Amino acid sequence: MAKSSKDSSAVNKGEKPLKKGKKVYRFLGWAMMLSLVVFSPASAPLFMIGMLPSIVTAIFDRKPRKTALQTIACANFCGVMVYAVELWKNGNNTEHLGAILQNHLNWVIMYGSALMGLMAYIVVPIIIALLLDAKTSIESSDLKRQMQALRDEWGSEVADETLEVQFMPLIGPEKP
Amino acid sequence: MGAIMSMLPASDTLSATTNTLAGNPLAGNPLAGNPMTGAPSDQSMQDANAAMVGMNPLSLNSPKADPHDDAWLAEEAALLAQVDASAIEKTANAEEFNPANFVLAASRPTVVNLKKNFRILAHRPLPQFDTPSAKAFEALHVRDRERAYYALISDTRLPPRLNMLFGLGNQGVQGLVCPRDWGVVEWLGGRLCYAIVMEQPGSRRLMRDLSDTFAPISDKMVSRTLLAPAFAMLSALAARGYTHRALRLSNMFLSEGHDSTVVFGECYSKPAAYDQPAVFEPVESALCHPLGRGEGGIGDDIYALGVCLAILLNGYNPLNGLSAEQIIDRKLTMGSLNAMMGNARISPMMMEPLKGMLADSHKSRWSLRDLDNWLNGRQSLSHTSVSRPKAARAFQFLGEPYLSLPHLASALGRNWAPAVEEVVKKPMALWLRRSMNDEEKAESFEKLMMQPKFDDATGNDVILSRACNIFYPDGPIFYKGMTFLPDGLKNLLLLSHEDITITTAIHDVIEKRILSYWMARQGHLPLQYTNTLESINGWRKFLNTHGLGFGIERCLYEANPGMLCLSPLVFRYAATDLSSLMKVLDEIAANQPDLTQWQWDTHLAGFILANLQNNGLGFAKMINLEDPAQKRLGWLGLLALVQQKKRLGGLPNLAAALYPWLAPILDLYHSRSRQSRIREELEKAAKSGSLVSMMAILQNYVEILNDKNGFYRARYEYTMLKVKQDEMAMNNQKKMEYNLPIGQNIVAFVAGATAATFLVGVVYKEFAWRFF
């Protein structure tokens, strides 16, 4: 069976394709959401509205590992969770949900956390890539230094595998 | 003996006494036959002397001084005192080298030192002791002034009979001029010469010239004064395994005193029989090139003695005025006895010794025992005299008729090119069968013609050589105009480095088994040839190996122990053995330390390898490699082996010169740190002058193995590093592509962990208190 285009593009760019086991988590996620709707009617709208950035990210994130979704959703979740807890503490009813939703600051916090997640997703990999690059440069210099040391000790012929070299011959039993 | 002295012509001390060769025998075509001519007259010899010494009356006319003369002794002492004992004085204007007079006399007092004990007076020639290829000069012992000495000076291209010089030493043989010392000296004009010092034998020769005539000597006189001393001398030599091979009347002297006896002249200065005129040699030897006669046997000396006897009994030389070829032809047609005695009346007393000593066949010739029996009045052993059969009808060759096979063989040998056509094309087997009535030879000849011919141009030459052997089994070997006996081949090698035709001919003789064929047809092989075939088989191996240290040059040194090294690098220093060679090389290195300018040639290599006697074969292979570094290592190995085998001391100049020359060898070590360490050790060893140590440093097994293994290991490491570097470079091109996903994964993980931690914390804080 041919690999999907998603998988092949991921392989080309160095990412591993999504394993089939991950679909289980997706199913569990949907199951949790459904449970929330059933058993906590006020929390579900809060999560659905508060995690709207995550839902949008889920639609647009085509990467197999969904790292953008993971990052933004986790940050978004943290922001929404603050108000979910408050909702659960205060009766878990729709009136309190309305009060939460009417406060603009709460929107800022919920969506701001998603934004933080997004910023982290954009900036941190760049920083990490730069650090990795610096590490590679150091390793490369070290390699060059070792190779130069070998050339200094054994001559340039050590660098050419195809070159036939002569060694000091050991003359047979006639040596003095 | 006084009667003999009165009958013999008076000798002028400065007159010519020898059969002088017409020119330097080494010049011209050595394959052209024996360059023997008659001797020059006294006047021409004086003229030659005058030309040599520039009209100095001292050199020409000074009478032989009485060694007991006090004035003379004082003069000589004063002369010696002027000359530094270690210095060799050269003339201000070195005389131009003239091949005819290659050993010149000095025009002013000049002394040449021979080792520690002898001083040779180069301004005092003694022509009465000259030989055809050596000049005699007066010599003084530094301490012994009682005896009179003389030195024979000769060219170094032909070595003396070193085996006799070493073997006889100072012991001497009664009745024979014996050597007291010898060596190589630098003569006038810087020319190297062999010098052999001997005690002066007597005042006059028995015969100055082969053309001299005198009253015939009586039988009794000749047997007492010639044959008896000759027997004693030859017996003493034979007991030590030597032959004289220079017995001729002009090489015999009358000792001084009332009861003077014959003293036999020297036989060491040149190869055996080299100076012998054809008349004194048996036919098979006379046919040979002077260098091709070999050591010979006692039968050859007996023959020469027989000729001396015949001349003394006749009072003249019956073959005087004839060329060597004519002498040989006469002996072949008439037999030696008839040729020497002709129609002269032979007394019954002398008939037996003359017949026995002049027998043409060596099988029927007298031995020493026969001579002894005759001298003591006993019956000699009877030898069946073999007369050569004659053909019923002559064989015509080049317009000449030939009735006997040996005569025909000698003619074929002398006229090689037409002979090849004759033998191949004419029905000789028929003539052998019908005219010679010799079925055995006819069959052998037919078998020879039926053998498969060699594919190359030498095929017919080989057939002709073998045909000559069939016709003349007792005779020498004929090949392409070169005539020789088996033990003379080694002397012919001396000419090989000057004449490529000789080299080619010798190569053919060995390769085409011409010698083996000759020996196989001998039946009973004479004693002197038994070792020859074995030696020559060894030469074949050298001839078939190309490269430095092999070839004809190697054969030359193997066959002639004591031969000086002919390499242009060392020739003028006259190295005759390995110890002297190394000292010479050390001396040369002091003045010429740049070894890249030295000629490392095949003579040098051949000389060393021949004298090392089958040692140094590994080094011999190395000096023939293309790689200059390994070649130099091979040379160092050879020189170090010589230093070790001969237990020589330090050679500081040579070692110091070798050190920079060996620099390319150090490049064979790949590790730079090892190179510099070995370089330091090598320099230290070079300062000590030990080539053995230098070689041991370069041939350290552990170092060599470690270097090789280390290099391969380093190469592997380098390859691995290169692969890693390439990978890194490839990754570097797409670094953002690889690193960004890594960062994103990290961020996602951290976000997830943070979210999970937050969730747990929140849940715990808000709701856990209800349960705890």
Side-chain angles (χ1 to χ4, degrees):
Chain A
M1 189 169 156
K3 284 184 182 175
S4 65
S5 61
K6 270 196 291 190
D7 292 345
S8 60
S9 65
V11 167
N12 286 338
K13 291 190 176 176
E15 278 195 47
K16 294 180 186 170
L18 196 62
K19 292 182 185 169
K20 287 185 182 174
K22 297 287 181 183
K23 289 182 182 174
V24 174
Y25 292 108
R26 200 183 281 176
F27 174 74
L28 282 174
W30 281 109
M32 278 173 63
M33 192 57 86
L34 211 60
S35 312
L36 210 61
V37 169
V38 170
F39 298 107
S40 179
S43 303
L46 177 64
F47 276 101
M48 284 184 72
I49 294 165
M51 290 196 67
L52 198 58
S54 301
I55 294 168
V56 169
T57 305
I59 295 166
F60 287 103
D61 186 4
R62 295 297 179 194
K63 291 206 176 95
R65 297 187 73 83
K66 306 280 186 199
T67 46
L69 172 63
Q70 283 179 41
T71 310
I72 294 168
C74 289
N76 199 190
F77 178 78
C78 291
V80 173
M81 197 61 196
V82 169
Y83 298 107
V85 167
E86 192 186 319
L87 186 66
W88 294 338
K89 273 165 60 177
N90 294 313
N92 196 16
N93 52 37
T94 52
E95 286 84 14
H96 199 70
L97 174 66
I100 289 169
L101 290 176
Q102 279 175 5
N103 191 344
H104 300 119
L105 190 62
N106 298 341
W107 286 90
V108 171
I109 299 241
M110 285 192 291
Y111 284 1
S113 63
L115 182 65
M116 293 296 289
L118 178 64
M119 296 303 292
Y121 182 74
I122 291 169
V123 172
V124 172
I126 291 172
I127 294 169
I128 290 173
L130 288 173
L131 286 173
L132 285 175
D133 188 44
K135 177 173 170 283
T136 304
S137 295
I138 292 168
E139 278 180 5
S140 176
S141 299
D142 195 43
L143 278 179
K144 278 186 190 161
R145 190 182 47 75
Q146 287 179 49
M147 288 163 78
Q148 184 59 40
L150 284 172
R151 279 200 300 274
D152 289 341
E153 174 61 12
W154 296 97
S156 56
E157 54 269 20
V158 77
D160 190 348
E161 253 191 352
T162 58
L163 186 67
E164 278 192 29
V165 293
Q166 280 181 324
F167 296 96
M168 176 67 76
L170 196 60
I171 303 165
E174 296 286 34
K175 55 182 184 288
Chain B
M1 187 47 64
I4 291 182
M5 289 175 68
S6 65
M7 285 169 193
L8 291 172
S11 63
D12 185 327
T13 55
L14 295 173
S15 63
T17 58
T18 62
N19 298 319
T20 310
L21 295 177
N24 186 345
L26 301 179
N29 182 359
L31 298 179
N34 302 329
M36 298 301 301
T37 62
S41 64
D42 291 353
Q43 185 55 46
S44 65
M45 195 61 196
Q46 283 196 4
D47 291 339
N49 279 338
M52 282 196 305
V53 304
M55 302 302 291
N56 185 337
L58 272 180
S59 297
L60 282 177
N61 298 319
S62 59
K64 184 180 180 304
D66 183 350
H68 298 290
D69 186 330
D70 288 342
W72 178 83
L73 283 172
E75 182 193 326
E76 295 301 331
L79 173 66
L80 285 173
Q82 290 167 14
V83 179
D84 179 13
S86 63
I88 296 172
E89 190 176 335
K90 296 182 182 51
T91 53
N93 302 310
E95 287 85 341
E96 193 178 327
F97 172 63
N98 181 351
N101 295 302
F102 54 83
V103 178
L104 310 177
S107 55
R108 58 191 171 104
T110 305
V111 174
V112 175
N113 296 333
L114 175 62
K115 296 180 188 168
K116 291 179 191 168
N117 291 328
F118 286 98
R119 306 284 182 263
I120 304 170
L121 308 180
H123 57 291
R124 288 187 183 265
L126 298 174
Q128 69 269 32
F129 300 123
D130 285 351
T131 68
S133 39
K135 300 287 182 204
F137 292 84
E138 201 171 325
L140 300 175
H141 194 283
V142 292
R143 286 179 297 277
D144 178 12
R145 296 305 173 94
E146 293 293 317
R147 294 190 179 87
Y149 295 98
Y150 76 106
L152 271 182
I153 309 296
S154 63
D155 191 83
T156 49
R157 280 182 287 182
L158 295 180
R161 293 171 79 184
L162 291 165
N163 58 337
M164 286 188 83
L165 289 175
F166 284 114
L168 289 178
N170 281 325
Q171 294 167 4
V173 168
Q174 182 68 29
L176 174 66
V177 169
C178 279
R180 293 290 173 226
D181 208 346
W182 60 91
V184 176
V185 297
E186 188 173 338
W187 200 247
L188 310 179
R191 186 161 182 80
L192 293 174
C193 294
Y194 278 112
I196 304 174
V197 172
M198 290 163 280
E199 213 173 308
Q200 291 185 20
S203 59
R204 54 191 69 194
R205 297 176 190 265
L206 285 190
M207 196 171 178
R208 286 174 309 162
D209 197 282
L210 285 179
S211 59
D212 288 350
T213 58
F214 43 86
I217 313 296
S218 70
D219 301 348
K220 237 184 219 177
M221 184 69 75
V222 91
S223 75
R224 183 166 60 81
T225 55
L226 175 68
L227 296 183
F231 168 76
M233 184 272 293
L234 290 175
S235 302
L237 281 181
R240 295 175 203 201
Y242 300 123
T243 52
H244 191 281
R245 304 295 272 119
L247 284 177
R248 54 184 182 272
L249 288 171
S250 56
N251 195 30
M252 297 176 190
F253 302 86
L254 283 173
S255 65
E256 294 185 353
H258 179 69
D259 54 348
S260 50
T261 56
V262 170
V263 176
F264 298 95
E266 69 88 22
C267 55
Y268 327 102
S269 61
K270 282 289 168 257
Y274 180 75
D275 289 332
Q276 284 288 76
V279 66
F280 290 99
E281 286 289 295
V283 171
E284 64 270 15
S285 181
L287 281 166
C288 296
H289 187 285
L291 280 177
R293 290 170 175 166
E295 292 292 313
I298 197 66
D300 300 310
D301 283 330
I302 296 280
Y303 183 95
L305 194 62
V307 172
C308 295
L309 176 66
I311 293 174
L312 288 175
L313 291 174
N314 279 322
Y316 70 100
N317 174 15
L319 301 179
N320 178 49
L322 298 180
S323 68
E325 277 186 23
Q326 287 169 328
I327 290 171
I328 292 166
D329 283 344
R330 192 167 284 197
K331 286 186 181 182
L332 282 170
T333 47
M334 298 169 63
S336 295
L337 179 62
N338 288 332
M340 290 307 301
M341 296 310 292
N343 294 324
R345 287 189 54 179
I346 307 172
S347 67
M349 181 183 172
M350 285 293 137
M351 176 58 80
E352 200 183 337
L354 280 171
K355 263 182 80 174
M357 289 196 277
L358 291 177
D360 286 307
S361 166
H362 65 84
K363 288 170 193 159
S364 40
R365 200 174 297 148
W366 267 17
S367 64
L368 278 175
R369 189 192 282 188
D370 295 314
L371 182 58
D372 184 36
N373 288 338
W374 183 84
L375 285 169
N376 290 305
R378 292 191 293 268
Q379 188 73 22
S380 64
L381 301 169
S382 65
H383 294 272
T384 314
S385 67
V386 177
S387 60
R388 294 206 172 100
K390 295 248 193 298
R393 197 162 60 88
F395 185 90
Q396 296 289 334
F397 174 59
L398 294 181
E400 296 288 330
Y402 293 93
L403 286 171
S404 77
L405 283 173
H407 199 190
L408 175 61
S410 72
L412 294 173
R414 282 197 296 258
N415 301 282
W416 196 258
V420 168
E421 304 252 337
E422 201 75 20
V423 165
V424 171
K425 289 185 181 166
K426 271 198 181 169
M428 292 200 78
L430 198 63
W431 178 79
L432 286 167
R433 207 167 258 124
R434 289 192 181 165
S435 294
M436 288 300 306
N437 201 24
D438 194 329
E439 189 60 36
E440 187 265 327
K441 284 197 170 63
E443 274 180 23
S444 299
F445 186 80
E446 278 170 343
K447 219 182 271 183
L448 173 68
M449 296 309 289
M450 283 192 315
Q451 277 177 4
K453 296 184 180 40
F454 295 96
D455 291 335
D456 59 15
T458 59
N460 287 337
D461 295 316
V462 174
I463 288 173
L464 178 56
S465 175
R466 291 182 178 183
C468 290
N469 182 225
I470 291 170
F471 300 157
Y472 191 5
D474 289 347
I477 298 162
F478 300 92
Y479 186 73
K480 276 188 165 179
M482 186 172 73
T483 311
F484 60 95
L485 288 164
D487 58 342
L489 195 59
K490 67 182 179 71
N491 291 331
L492 284 174
L493 284 170
L494 296 168
L495 296 176
S496 62
H497 69 283
E498 296 185 9
D499 190 332
I500 189 69
T501 52
I502 294 243
T503 309
T504 314
I506 292 174
H507 198 282
D508 288 346
V509 162
I510 295 172
E511 277 300 305
K512 306 284 192 270
R513 300 184 190 271
I514 291 167
L515 198 63
S516 325
Y517 187 88
W518 183 92
M519 290 210 178
R521 289 194 63 84
Q522 292 307 303
H524 175 66
L525 198 64
L527 195 64
Q528 61 264 30
Y529 303 147
T530 46
N531 291 330
T532 304
L533 193 58
E534 200 180 304
S535 307
I536 288 172
N537 284 337
W539 300 354
R540 186 177 291 118
K541 194 176 53 175
F542 299 133
L543 284 177
N544 288 333
T545 310
H546 301 287
L548 298 178
F550 298 97
I552 201 84
E553 292 84 0
R554 179 70 178 273
C555 297
L556 172 66
Y557 297 113
E558 291 279 349
N560 296 285
M563 172 75 192
L564 62 91
C565 182
L566 298 177
S567 169
L569 178 67
V570 299
F571 174 70
R572 64 183 318 275
Y573 296 87
T576 53
D577 57 32
L578 287 177
S579 302
S580 56
L581 176 72
M582 294 300 280
K583 284 172 190 152
V584 160
L585 290 176
D586 193 60
E587 195 183 314
I588 296 172
N591 300 318
Q592 199 182 337
D594 182 8
L595 299 195
T596 55
Q597 304 298 320
W598 284 24
Q599 270 174 291
W600 300 91
D601 63 352
T602 193
H603 272 287
L604 187 63
F607 182 85
I608 293 174
L609 288 168
N611 282 280
L612 279 176
Q613 293 169 351
N614 285 330
N615 288 312
L617 297 176
F619 302 128
K621 281 183 198 155
M622 289 200 72
I623 61 175
N624 286 294
L625 294 174
E626 290 294 329
D627 178 40
Q630 296 196 55
K631 203 190 270 278
R632 293 182 188 188
L633 185 64
W635 277 110
L636 173 66
L638 274 181
L639 297 175
L641 191 61
V642 171
Q643 189 182 38
Q644 185 192 41
K645 292 279 179 196
K646 295 296 167 188
R647 298 178 203 272
L648 299 174
L651 299 164
N653 298 315
L654 184 59
L658 279 168
Y659 170 68
W661 189 66
L662 294 171
I665 294 177
L666 292 175
D667 292 340
L668 293 176
Y669 284 108
H670 291 272
S671 164
R672 299 305 190 255
S673 54
R674 184 171 282 114
Q675 266 186 26
S676 61
R677 182 165 44 77
I678 289 176
R679 187 173 285 117
E680 280 172 21
E681 289 175 17
L682 206 61
E683 193 177 0
K684 222 183 279 183
K687 281 181 183 153
S688 73
S690 170
L691 306 187
V692 179
S693 303
M694 290 172 81
M695 192 64 189
I697 289 166
L698 289 172
Q699 285 290 289
N700 186 322
Y701 172 76
V702 172
E703 293 279 12
I704 291 171
L705 205 61
N706 285 346
D707 188 71
K708 192 171 182 176
N709 291 340
F711 179 82
Y712 282 130
R713 202 166 35 243
R715 198 178 240 184
Y716 175 75
E717 273 179 37
Y718 190 93
T719 308
M720 290 294 109
L721 289 171
K722 188 103 181 12
V723 165
K724 224 188 255 184
Q725 193 187 45
D726 290 343
E727 258 180 36
M728 252 186 228
M730 202 167 67
N731 291 341
N732 207 33
Q733 288 168 4
K734 301 177 185 175
K735 58 185 172 187
M736 291 308 281
E737 280 181 37
Y738 284 104
N739 292 342
L740 274 177
I742 295 171
Q744 287 164 359
N745 285 337
I746 293 171
V747 161
F749 175 79
V750 168
T754 307
T757 307
F758 182 78
L759 182 64
V760 167
V762 162
V763 167
Y764 178 80
K765 181 176 176 286
E766 295 297 336
F767 300 106
W769 62 271
R770 293 187 185 198
F771 301 100
F772 301 109

